[in-house]
């Protein structure tokens, strides 16, 4: 495809990815659980929207301790979602609609119900023993002080062999031992099996956690219930070696898209993961920008947004990887509360702020990811009772807050409500019929009652809707190489209200101005005199030179 701005042109750099959380997308058989046939039914919608790739959160056989992120059979489909025939049909139909399919690869851990683990726990000399990470206890206690990501210790005692196994997530998600070459080959074979079927790539779950520091040293426990494993698990000693091996043995043989989820990754580290010459991955999901509003209780504290800090972080990623590697661009996924409620405004300025956030993200350099419902501005949920939550992470956290830390229940509930992953997991809002058109049965998690106002059908009919705006953002990227390959430069770095930047490609410049507040603010762009004739994207009906109205977003092409 040639080069542009010193960057090799590839289809995945020019793509927009749409993430589906299958459990909550579309139910086809009235059991209240989304499924593969449901997704097939919605393919024409996705083609109409203009996205290129669908990332499916896990669809494999699973006991659903963590909604499919605990896999018990990598070559089979979750019973509730359908059959392998349904999957094959989905793949064929997607391709017919010009949509590629990217699977979620969850190989830092499996389910404890996976046959490998069932064998592994039987005896110390079982052939599968070294597929997992087993250690002796220390003075009758866990092998080290690490806490699991979903609360409690990261170790579980197993009677059969009187030893502990490591689980960095729930006890039903034992960590696989990537230091074992036999395990690595099993994973690589499984990946090739799916790629040979015709899938177009992988999103790799917590892939930067697969190599643990030998000796598994205790983590820092200051002010915490358990020690922090981060320095000994994230970006470990052999992670690049293993990813290069994966690339040589599998990925390099196919023309695929890859993105690795990488909590706690820095730009410097990312250059190795996604460098154009590294032979590892296309992109990573970094977390720095998503953590900018964290406080005392980590993600369970949401501080007001510090826009200057957010700009600094995103700019560091934009300029740090320019010409060296490729960025992913995201505000939302199945683990994050809804962006319009978080950094926009889900009341009076719902429409405008959702469009502003979309503009700000989609005009940057990188591959944008849209999470289901983001394109209609789906919001957080006004949960009123702990019984409405389903997610293991937030339920365990609530328990820790109340029973271990002694926080009062109201405060604990308020924290869960704001940050729970369930905010993102309520059913897709298709229309104003019962359950938002998601299911005629009782949904596994309640539909957000605002589906009567916020839904696809209503927005499809309204040219001024968030949905049409997203469709245009996608189209604009397709029609303008500057959006894909142009270089990025931050403007007005110290402005606490406006996110402004420019993109440059050859003779062309794109100016992007986004007001992140509910107030009117004055702006002056250095080096450019605002000209209404050059306005190419705008989320408002009025235009005043030098002033942005609440949540106004403008893009000028010069
Ligand atoms: C990733 C997934 C998350 C899951 C966890 C364990 O962070 O995005 O949903 O719970 O890994 O697999
Ligand atoms: Ca179903």
């Amino acid at each position: 495809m040639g080069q542009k701005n010193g960057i090799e042109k590839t289809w995945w750099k020019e793509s927009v990815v749409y993430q589906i959380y299958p459990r909550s997308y579309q139910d086809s058989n009235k059991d209240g659980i989304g499924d593969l046939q449901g997704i097939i039914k919605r393919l024409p919608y996705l083609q109409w929207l203009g996205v290129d790739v669908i990332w499916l959160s896990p669809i494999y056989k699973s006991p659903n301790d963590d909604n499919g992120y605990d896999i018990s059979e990598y070559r089979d489909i979750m019973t509730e979602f359908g059959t392998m025939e349904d999957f094959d049909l989905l793949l064929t139909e997607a391709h017919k609609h010009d949509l590629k399919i990217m699977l979620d690869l969850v190989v830092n851990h499996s389910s404890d119900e996976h046959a490998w683990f069932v064998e592994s726990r039987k005896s110390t000399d079982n052939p599968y023993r070294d597929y997992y990470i087993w250690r002796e206890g220390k003075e009758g206690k866990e092998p080290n002080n690490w806490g699991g990501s979903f609360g409690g210790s990261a170790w579980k005692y197993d009677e059969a062999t009187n030893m502990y196994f490591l689980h960095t997530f729930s006890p039903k998600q034992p960590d696989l031992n990537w230091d074992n070459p036999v395990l690595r080959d099993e994973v690589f074979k499984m990946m090739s099996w799916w790629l040979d079927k015709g899938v177009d790539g992988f999103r790799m779950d917590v892939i930067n956690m697969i190599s643990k520091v030998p000796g598994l040293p205790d983590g820092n426990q200051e002010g915490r219930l358990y020690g922090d494993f981060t320095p000994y698990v994230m970006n470990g000693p052999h992670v690049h070696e293993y990813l290069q091996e994966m690339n040589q043995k599998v990925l390099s043989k196919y023309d695929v898209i890859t993105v690795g989820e990488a909590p706690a990754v820095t730009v410097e580290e990312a250059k190795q993961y996604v460098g154009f010459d590294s032979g590892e991955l296309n992109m990573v999901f970094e977390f720095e920008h998503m953590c900018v509003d964290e406080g005392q209780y980590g993600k369970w504290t949401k501080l007001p947004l510090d826009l200057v800090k957010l700009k600094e972080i995103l700019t560091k990623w934009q300029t740090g990887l320019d010409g060296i590697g490729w960025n992913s661009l995201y505000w939302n996924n199945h683990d994050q509360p809804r962006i319009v409620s978080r950094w926009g405004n889900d009341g009076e300025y719902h429409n405008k702020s959702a469009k502003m956030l979309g503009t700000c993200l989609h005009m940057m350099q990188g591959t944008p990811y849209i999470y289901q419902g983001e394109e209609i501005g789906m919001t957080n949920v006004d949960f009123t009772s702990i019984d409405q939550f389903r997610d293991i992470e937030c339920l365990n956290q609530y328990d820790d807050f109340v029973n271990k830390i002694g926080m009062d229940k109201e405060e604990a509930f308020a924290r869960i409500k704001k940050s729970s992953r369930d905010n993102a997991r309520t059913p897709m809002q298709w229309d104003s019929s019962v359950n938002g058109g998601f299911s005629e049965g009782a949904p596994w998690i309640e539909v957000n009652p605002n589906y009567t106002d916020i839904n696809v059908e209503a927005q499809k009919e309204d040219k001024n809707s968030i949905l049409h705006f997203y469709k245009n953002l996608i189209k604009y990227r397709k029609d303008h190489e500057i959006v894909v390959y142009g270089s990025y430069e931050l403007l007005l770095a110290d402005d606490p209200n406006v996110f402004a930047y420019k993109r440059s490609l050859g003779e062309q410049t794109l100016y992007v101005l986004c007001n992140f507040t509910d107030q009117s603010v004055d702006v002056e762009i250095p080096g450019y005199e605002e000209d209404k004739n050059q306005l190419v994207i705008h989320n408002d009906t009025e235009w005043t030179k030098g002033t942005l109205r609440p949540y106004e977003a403008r893009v000028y092409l010069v």
Side-chain angles (χ1 to χ4, degrees), residues 19 21 55 57-58 66 68-70 104 106 108-109 149-150 169-170 173 203 205-206 209 261 263 287 333-335 391-393 421 425:
Q19 183 191 354
Y21 196 67
W55 150 25
S57 275
D66 185 20
Y69 283 90
D70 49 319
D104 214 312
V106 189
N108 172 68
H109 44 270
S149 306
F150 296 155
F169 291 89
S170 100
Q173 294 167 297
R203 175 267 186 186
D205 195 62
V206 288
M209 290 173 58
E261 189 196 23
F287 278 66
N333 58 44
H334 63 294
D335 295 330
D391 180 25
I392 178 175
E393 182 197 41
R421 308 193 293 185
R425 298 177 179 186

Side-chain angles (χ1 to χ4, degrees), residues 52-343:
D52 305 277
V53 182
I54 298 171
W55 150 25
L56 294 175
S57 275
I59 50 153
Y60 316 90
K61 183 85 63 200
S62 165
N64 281 306
D65 190 51
D66 185 20
N67 286 356
Y69 283 90
D70 49 319
I71 297 167
S72 55
E73 172 49 88
Y74 286 101
R75 289 179 178 81
D76 204 349
I77 302 294
M78 193 189 296
T79 320
E80 298 92 316
F81 290 176
T83 62
M84 193 58 83
E85 285 69 48
D86 294 327
F87 178 80
D88 292 339
L89 184 65
L90 169 59
L91 189 59
T92 313
E93 286 299 309
H95 288 162
K96 276 192 207 156
H97 286 85
D98 285 328
L99 294 159
K100 296 186 193 299
I101 296 280
M102 186 180 188
L103 292 185
D104 214 312
L105 184 78
V106 189
V107 288
N108 172 68
H109 44 270
S110 73
S111 164
D112 66 340
E113 297 181 33
H114 193 291
W116 297 339
F117 190 76
V118 172
E119 285 301 313
S120 185
R121 76 195 319 175
K122 281 183 180 163
S123 65
T124 52
D125 57 3
N126 187 284
Y128 291 91
R129 187 65 171 181
D130 285 337
Y131 275 43
Y132 295 87
I133 302 174
W134 293 95
R135 292 288 184 279
E136 306 270 355
K138 248 192 202 156
E139 293 139 27
K141 290 208 312 224
E142 286 79 12
N144 72 20
N145 71 354
W146 296 357
S149 306
F150 296 155
S153 165
W155 295 95
K156 188 168 178 199
Y157 176 70
D158 206 50
E159 260 180 7
T161 55
N162 188 28
M163 282 172 81
Y164 292 79
F165 66 87
L166 178 69
H167 61 87
T168 51
F169 291 89
S170 100
K172 284 186 68 62
Q173 294 167 297
D175 281 54
L176 289 162
N177 176 20
W178 275 72
D179 295 333
N180 178 355
V182 184
L183 176 273
R184 294 203 298 277
D185 271 329
E186 290 265 20
V187 172
F188 299 155
K189 265 191 279 166
M190 177 270 288
M191 292 172 71
S192 303
W193 187 84
W194 283 102
L195 292 169
D196 288 339
K197 241 182 194 301
V199 309
D200 304 287
F202 292 108
R203 175 267 186 186
M204 304 184 188
D205 195 62
V206 288
I207 200 67
N208 69 332
M209 290 173 58
I210 58 175
S211 166
K212 279 82 174 168
V213 169
L216 313 180
D218 276 341
N220 176 16
Q221 204 174 327
E222 245 180 72
R224 316 164 55 112
L225 293 170
Y226 291 93
D228 175 18
F229 62 56
T230 305
Y232 311 113
V233 168
M234 314 279 192
N235 314 306
H238 299 288
V239 67
H240 297 296
E241 183 188 319
Y242 297 158
L243 287 176
Q244 283 162 25
E245 185 183 349
M246 177 196 285
N247 190 296
Q248 281 156 22
K249 292 190 173 160
V250 185
L251 301 173
S252 59
K253 303 189 175 153
Y254 305 83
D255 182 18
V256 289
I257 177 171
T258 55
V259 56
E261 189 196 23
V265 75
T266 62
V267 183
E268 286 316 306
E269 188 80 37
K271 288 178 185 168
Q272 181 59 40
Y273 286 110
V274 305
F276 295 136
D277 303 322
S278 298
E280 296 185 20
L281 304 171
N282 296 156
M283 295 166 259
V284 288
F285 287 132
E286 54 84 16
F287 278 66
E288 262 189 285
H289 76 295
M290 283 282 110
C291 296
V292 68
D293 55 1
E294 287 189 353
Q296 187 190 0
Y297 296 106
K299 70 180 249 181
W300 308 103
T301 302
K302 289 271 184 280
L303 303 171
L305 175 63
D306 180 340
L307 187 67
V308 171
K309 238 194 205 163
L310 178 70
K311 295 195 287 190
E312 217 174 84
I313 293 169
L314 287 172
T315 299
K316 185 175 63 181
W317 281 89
Q318 286 287 299
T319 55
L321 293 186
D322 191 10
I324 297 173
W326 199 245
N327 272 296
S328 70
L329 306 171
Y330 76 98
W331 290 138
N332 282 291
N333 58 44
H334 63 294
D335 295 330
Q336 299 290 340
R338 293 283 179 178
I339 198 65
V340 71
S341 300
R342 184 173 177 182
W343 295 342

Side-chain angles (χ1 to χ4, degrees), residues 27-35 80:
D27 177 20
S28 72
N29 62 349
K30 306 185 187 178
D31 67 352
I33 298 176
D35 46 54
E80 298 92 316

Side-chain angles (χ1 to χ4, degrees), residues 349 352 356 497-498 513-523 538-544 546-554:
Y349 296 111
K352 273 180 76 184
M356 182 282 286
N497 306 314
V498 177
L513 302 182
C514 296
N515 179 0
F516 269 69
T517 75
D518 58 4
Q519 305 292 314
S520 285
V521 293
D522 292 338
V523 274
H538 192 206
N539 70 345
D540 210 336
T541 46
E542 284 177 40
W543 180 87
T544 314
T547 305
L548 293 173
R549 301 208 303 163
Y551 296 106
E552 187 173 345
R554 298 178 187 174

